[in-house]
Amino acid sequence: MNVNETSRFVRLRAELIVEVDGSGDLTAAALKRVVDDPHLPDDERTHAESTVKEDDAEALAYLVDPFDLVKELPGIELTQASWSSEVIDYDPDSPDWDPDEHDDAEDGEEP
């Protein structure tokens, strides 16, 4: 395949595991973002406020925006983005935890 036949689209995948050691600070920051969002309709604002108060994962998801990762990169236009967050049981010493488990997968196949 030559350069003219190569797709211009690139899928960037990132997985982060973060430790929340300031739940109140996280919630406050997410609530501020909800309140300051001028494009958020009132019914959605009420729902967003409720979810970020109840769940650290929701608060984090509300604060993280994939557009922020690429907005200042030259030659890049974000075409589509999706993201989610969830509370997980994490033990870095567990043999079940392998941060490189998907490195050997090709074409979306599991190793």
Side-chain angles (χ1 to χ4, degrees):
M1 184 177 274
N2 67 36
V3 175
N4 292 334
E5 295 172 338
T6 303
S7 176
R8 299 179 322 179
F9 297 95
V10 174
R11 181 184 313 252
L12 171 66
R13 293 183 191 207
E15 181 171 329
L16 306 169
I17 296 178
V18 299
E19 181 178 359
V20 178
D21 62 2
S23 183
D25 293 337
L26 177 66
T27 300
L31 285 172
K32 181 172 177 6
R33 173 82 56 97
V34 169
V35 169
D36 291 347
D37 187 343
H39 304 293
L40 196 60
D42 288 340
D43 58 334
E44 289 182 32
R45 185 181 319 278
T46 301
H47 177 72
E49 288 174 346
S50 174
T51 58
V52 301
K53 286 178 183 177
E54 295 173 10
D55 187 351
D56 286 344
E58 289 293 330
L60 180 62
Y62 203 88
L63 291 169
V64 172
D65 185 347
F67 176 72
D68 291 340
L69 297 173
V70 298
K71 69 182 177 185
E72 295 185 19
L73 297 178
I76 299 294
E77 180 180 336
L78 183 62
T79 304
Q80 179 180 353
S82 64
W83 67 103
S84 65
S85 65
E86 62 186 327
V87 176
I88 62 169
D89 291 326
Y90 173 71
D91 178 2
D93 298 325
S94 169
D96 295 331
W97 173 249
D98 181 5
D100 299 321
E101 70 181 294
H102 298 291
D103 285 355
D104 295 330
E106 290 184 25
D107 297 325
E109 297 176 9
E110 292 296 318

